[in-house]
Amino acid sequence: MRTSEFACAELPGGESYHRLGRTSRFRWWSTPLTLAVFAVLVFFLWMAIILAVTIVAIIGGSGLAPDSVTLSTIAELAFGLLSSALFLPIVLFLVRVVQWRRIGSLMSVEGRLRWGWLARCTVVAIVPVALCAALFLPLAKLLQPGLVPSEATGGTEVFAAAMTVIVLLVPFQSAAEELTMRGLLMQLVGAVGARSGERGGGSAVSRVLRSPGPAVLASGTLFAVLYLAMHPGEVWTAAALAAMGLGMAWLTWRTGGLEAAIGLHVVNSLVQFTLCVFEGRMEQIGTGLVVGSGLPLGAGSPLVLLLTLVQVGLYTLAVVWLADRRGVRRRSAEATALR
């Protein structure tokens, strides 16, 4: 078969998910270049979001002074979710253009998003998410009465508008965050270690780098570390984020794709954001009080960490059992022929 030197790199054969970024076009500078372009694109994304927020606020009657720029609650909700959802095209651009490989290699070891497996994982996620959501409210009122404030929802129109925004944007927001943290980041770290047949591939350092440990640890804890750096006193929240992140990163490696992480993230966010809207707590969405783990997080709340561990544990056991039963592929095929 004729191939062009400008053609996208194919999936590396016989590799786990975290190693799919080390294609035939990988070079030592691929990782720093990807991170540099990512930083530039994110900077321009945030500038565009700030400009859009300012324009909408001025149209809504705000002044030009930075302190006077205000948005309605629904607009804040929409911009908060949209700012995360827009990471999706950025990540896909980095994979396709900067790393010059197929977008499907970011999705799974089969070189595509396994829609059937994603649907099954999403259904499986409903039970542990619903269980922990049901336990959270009564336990929070019993153990920490001030953890969940209760206010008016703002009426039927506000509730309907908020739910429309959530249903339309949350799937994209959740997928974008997983493609960034459990996808791009995991494969960036996993691609660093040289293969056994390459120069330096037999060293102890290379063996460690190409093992799943560093990739799972980095992609599972980075968001929690950043959150703790911005909120030094909220150790319990950061711990819950790390528990969720590590669980989803390990499942991504174990199942050979992002479907399990996306499924739990989408269900979590839909359920918990709906609870926030119903209870009149929309201002918490996107502020760090409702983040990552999908639970309504409060500073210094061991209850949230406990429920997050229960949720992740139940979901992980169910997904691993189902993956083994259905024979879900964990490694790429030895000879991949993608069209």
Side-chain angles (χ1 to χ4, degrees), residues 18 38 44 64 71 95 103 113 162 187 206 212 220 235 280 296 325 334:
H18 70 291
F38 178 77
F44 282 108
L64 291 174
L71 293 172
V95 171
I103 289 175
L113 187 64
Q187 292 186 349
S206 293
V235 178
R325 182 177 181 182
E334 290 295 340

Side-chain angles (χ1 to χ4, degrees), residues 323-334:
D324 290 342
R325 182 177 181 182
R326 300 193 63 83
V328 173
R329 183 184 290 276
R330 298 176 55 182
R331 287 180 173 271
S332 59
E334 290 295 340

Side-chain angles (χ1 to χ4, degrees), residues 124-211:
V124 169
I126 294 174
V127 174
V129 170
L131 175 63
C132 289
L135 290 174
F136 177 77
L137 294 177
L139 288 176
K141 291 178 181 180
L142 177 65
L143 302 175
Q144 292 179 277
L147 185 61
V148 183
S150 180
E151 301 175 3
T153 61
T156 304
E157 292 183 359
V158 173
F159 182 81
M163 288 308 303
T164 300
V165 170
I166 288 173
V167 171
L168 290 177
L169 293 182
V170 160
F172 296 100
Q173 170 256 343
S174 300
E177 291 182 5
E178 291 306 322
L179 260 69
T180 303
M181 300 303 298
R182 253 64 68 183
L184 181 65
L185 179 58
M186 177 178 284
Q187 292 186 349
L188 281 176
V189 176
V192 174
R195 295 190 183 92
S196 57
E198 297 175 343
R199 181 180 179 183
S203 67
V205 173
S206 293
R207 288 197 296 270
V208 171
L209 289 176
R210 63 175 179 258
S211 69

Side-chain angles (χ1 to χ4, degrees), residues 95-130:
V95 171
R96 183 64 177 80
V97 177
V98 178
Q99 298 183 347
W100 207 247
R101 58 188 175 105
R102 297 180 182 274
I103 289 175
S105 63
L106 187 69
M107 306 301 176
S108 76
V109 294
E110 294 187 14
R112 61 183 177 83
L113 187 64
R114 300 169 293 188
W115 290 101
W117 177 237
L118 174 60
R120 290 182 176 87
C121 290
T122 302
V123 172
V124 169
I126 294 174
V127 174
V129 170

